[in-house]
Amino acid sequence: RDLHSFPTRRSSDLVRNFYTPSSQGVFTPTFIDYNWKSPYMIQYNASVQQQLPWNMMLGVAYVGNHGVHLPMVRDGNPIPPTSFGPCGDPASVCVDGKVPFWDSSAPNYTNLNSHFGSDINIATAATSRYNALQVVLQKRTSHGLEFEAAYTRSRVTDETQGQSNVQDCITSGGLLGVYPLNTSVDRGPACFDILNNWEINVLYHFPNPVKGNGFLSKVANGWFMSSIVSIQSGQPFSPLIATNRS
């Protein structure tokens, strides 16, 4: 059979009949979105530094970036809401001034293309934002001591992560998002978001107790002690349940 020929109605019917999302052991179509765009990143920062006594320096910086047209995995043939309700309940997802509802028993509960079930669409429809306050206190070497303490208060937000299952996250649940027709609903802390990060490193050169170039001086002199301390917040997580709470 010529693979470049347009499939007949019979062959498309066979595919449609075989693809049953509720059954085990069947395939799920996966495709790249036709309107693929080139992802890019916008970066910006501003910083100030101040020299302090005792060979010390204090630096404060704002660092940010904005990811545009990032790849994301979504349902390419979603089921639109069967009805809408008013906003107001904090537990509800309010989209464009109304809350979408899905009733599986409703006659309009069907995929956009009713001839197929859900499929996987990889599209450049996601964005990301990173904003951080960075503070650095540094002491240059004097009296054998030098250290640097750096603190970062940051926030990373996006709409799901990765273009393949569990590529960047620790769970695959909710990977396609909760509302493919409006990706802004899934905007929130990234799964690799670290709110607080504190890094401290210290290096101390012990005084040389023995003068000269003899064997004893080579053994007793030239000793250093160093330490690195890392303190950071935990990563966000999303609790998943298998039932409909509503």
Side-chain angles (χ1 to χ4, degrees):
R1 180 178 180 80
D2 184 2
L3 297 180
H4 298 284
S5 63
F6 191 81
T8 64
R9 179 174 178 81
R10 176 175 174 77
S11 62
S12 60
D13 288 342
L14 290 176
V15 173
R16 181 169 62 251
N17 294 334
F18 178 75
Y19 177 58
T20 308
S22 60
S23 302
Q24 297 291 334
V26 299
F27 67 88
T28 300
T30 302
F31 62 95
I32 302 295
D33 193 82
Y34 180 80
N35 298 308
W36 186 271
K37 300 178 181 179
S38 297
Y40 63 91
M41 184 76 70
I42 303 173
Q43 298 178 330
Y44 34 87
N45 64 82
S47 63
V48 293
Q49 294 182 342
Q50 176 65 44
Q51 184 174 351
L52 304 175
W54 307 295
N55 290 328
M56 298 179 66
M57 182 275 296
L58 176 66
V60 180
Y62 163 74
V63 177
N65 62 56
H66 177 37
V68 183
H69 298 158
L70 303 181
M72 71 177 302
V73 177
R74 61 181 183 176
D75 191 338
N77 190 28
I79 300 176
T82 56
S83 62
F84 293 91
C87 297
D89 187 348
S92 300
V93 177
C94 188
V95 182
D96 299 330
K98 50 190 176 182
V99 179
F101 294 100
W102 285 264
D103 182 2
S104 58
S105 62
N108 59 338
Y109 184 81
T110 181
N111 300 86
L112 288 175
N113 184 344
S114 59
H115 298 288
F116 287 89
S118 298
D119 53 41
I120 295 177
N121 170 240
I122 303 176
T124 50
T127 62
S128 70
R129 288 190 180 274
Y130 172 79
N131 295 282
L133 170 67
Q134 300 178 351
V135 181
V136 178
L137 179 63
Q138 184 182 75
K139 183 186 182 304
R140 298 176 179 86
T141 304
S142 62
H143 303 289
L145 175 66
E146 66 175 274
F147 69 83
E148 182 177 271
Y151 171 74
T152 301
R153 173 82 174 189
S154 63
R155 182 78 165 183
V156 184
T157 58
D158 60 9
E159 305 103 2
T160 74
Q161 294 85 32
Q163 64 181 42
S164 64
N165 293 349
V166 298
Q167 179 177 350
D168 298 324
C169 298
I170 57 176
T171 176
S172 60
L175 183 70
L176 300 182
V178 298
Y179 194 27
L181 300 178
N182 191 326
T183 58
S184 63
V185 172
D186 296 301
R187 184 175 297 123
C191 60
F192 48 84
D193 179 39
I194 302 296
L195 190 61
N196 300 284
N197 188 19
W198 200 329
E199 303 288 337
I200 304 172
N201 64 83
V202 180
L203 178 65
Y204 180 69
H205 180 201
F206 289 99
N208 295 329
V210 180
K211 305 296 182 180
N213 297 319
F215 174 77
L216 185 59
S217 66
K218 296 184 182 298
V219 174
N221 298 340
W223 288 92
F224 290 82
M225 181 179 68
S226 64
S227 178
I228 299 177
V229 179
S230 298
I231 305 174
Q232 67 178 29
S233 304
Q235 295 177 335
F237 64 94
S238 299
L240 304 175
I241 58 176
T243 57
N244 189 344
R245 295 179 60 237
S246 61

